[in-house]
Each structure stands twice: as C-alpha cells, then as structure tokens.
Amino acid sequence: MEQFLKTLSSSAPTPGGGGAAALSGAVAASLASMVANLTTGKKRYAAYQAELDEILAETAALRDALYGFIARDAEAFEPLSRAYGIPKDAPGRDETLEAALHAAAEVPLALLETLVRLVPICERLLVIGSKLAVSDVGCAAAACRSAADSAALNVYINTKLMRDRDYAASLNARTDAALTSIDTACETIYNAVRARVKGETA
C-alpha cells in the first residue's frame, strides 16, 4: 500500500486515476465483507445466515475483481501512452491511437459495471447487517461512489478523443446509466447511515 501511494503521487504514468478508482472499489467491497463477517454467526441475525454466506462469497469475489483492475488499468494505459508518442504524420497513427483509446475506455467502464454489483449488497447490509457496524456500511457506500465517479471520468477522457463517435456515444451511455444508478443508491445509503449514527432515526 505504501509503495502504491508513493508511485501514485509520482510522475509515473501508472497508477493514476483509474488505479485509484479500482483501489477505492476494492476497499468498498472489503468494508461490505467486514460488515457481513461481523454479523455472521450471531444469534440475533440467524434468520439471515444463508444470505450472509452468499454476501461473503460475493464480496470476496468483488474485492479480488476490483483490486485486479489496478493492473488492468495500467496494462490498458501503456499502449495509449505509446500511441500518443507516435509522430502525428506517421502512417497508421490514427488507427493505433483509436484502438488504444477503445481499450483504455473499456477498462474503467468494466470497473464501473462491476461496482454496480456491490450496490445491492450495501443496501441489504443496511437492513440485515449488525447495527454495531452500520457506519461501515455507510463507508462502503461512500467508497463505492468515489470509485464509480472516478472510473466514469476515466471513460469520458478517452471517449472524448475517439474518432468513432457512435462507439464513443455508446460507451458514454453505458457509463451514464451505471454512474447514475450507483451514485443515487450510494447517496441514499450514506444519508440513511448518517441519520442513524447521528440519532435522527431509530
């Protein structure tokens, strides 16, 4: 973690915003898993045990998948970085750059669409999770939203430069839909948790 942050703060091309988004997403999934782990096996929540087992399996898979996007983002950016360095009058530059832009946009979009799977888990943990860990549900939602907002920007910065405007529009539409869904739900979860911990609701 220390090395990641040192490299992130340097002039190195990766990790950057995409890697940071992936890390935020992995943190969000880990927090959701923690809440489920703090709830599982407790008599008070015995009626939800089967569901908690499913949540633990899903959050473990999501944590690993989201963390994996750190490397995937770096791998996708490398060809784009090389493409930008090709002389503008070089034959085939436009085609090479276009392909690199496609790859660089598709990774954060895949990250964003993976985050969509985490949202209903957070929503459910707000209901069945240990009340002692409710603040962590809110933290998971906040981290999930941060990851989504960041991932979306990494889609848009690449689609903006694409020559194939129809393809760019299709990626932007998918990004808009996923982002709106995540932001709306995570804000609702966060506000509900904030009200609870401030004693404004039961």
Side-chain angles (χ1 to χ4, degrees):
M1 184 68 73
E2 183 179 359
Q3 185 58 51
F4 177 88
L5 293 175
K6 284 182 178 179
T7 308
L8 181 64
S9 64
S10 74
S11 60
T14 58
L23 180 61
S24 294
V27 167
S30 297
L31 283 165
S33 182
M34 183 184 74
V35 174
N37 271 309
L38 289 169
T39 309
T40 190
K42 301 290 178 25
K43 289 183 179 179
R44 182 175 182 178
Y45 304 98
Y48 307 116
Q49 189 57 54
E51 190 173 357
L52 288 165
D53 290 342
E54 292 177 0
I55 287 174
L56 285 169
E58 180 68 3
T59 51
L62 285 170
R63 178 198 64 220
D64 292 346
L66 292 164
Y67 183 77
F69 275 101
I70 295 176
R72 289 179 63 181
D73 182 78
E75 290 167 1
F77 183 77
E78 185 179 351
L80 180 60
S81 180
R82 291 198 306 268
Y84 280 131
I86 300 173
K88 292 187 177 180
D89 57 351
R93 179 185 186 275
D94 290 345
E95 292 77 12
T96 300
L97 180 58
E98 183 75 5
L101 286 168
H102 285 206
E106 288 162 1
V107 171
L109 177 54
L111 167 59
L112 188 60
E113 293 180 337
T114 301
L115 288 167
V116 170
R117 294 162 47 195
L118 182 59
V119 174
I121 293 174
C122 292
E123 291 174 327
R124 193 60 185 145
L125 287 171
L126 186 60
V127 177
I128 70 172
S130 170
K131 291 184 178 181
L132 297 176
V134 67
S135 62
D136 296 301
V137 178
C139 290
C144 183
R145 180 173 184 177
S146 173
D149 290 348
S150 300
L153 293 179
N154 282 274
V155 176
Y156 299 139
I157 192 65
N158 290 299
T159 56
K160 178 183 178 181
L161 300 175
M162 290 178 185
R163 289 175 174 267
D164 186 342
R165 298 315 302 162
D166 288 340
Y167 185 68
S170 70
L171 294 189
N172 284 345
R174 286 169 59 189
T175 300
D176 292 343
L179 184 62
T180 298
S181 172
I182 293 170
D183 281 357
T184 300
C186 286
E187 182 177 6
T188 299
I189 295 167
Y190 180 86
N191 287 338
V193 171
R194 184 176 64 179
R196 283 194 201 180
V197 297
K198 289 179 67 179
E200 296 173 355
T201 61

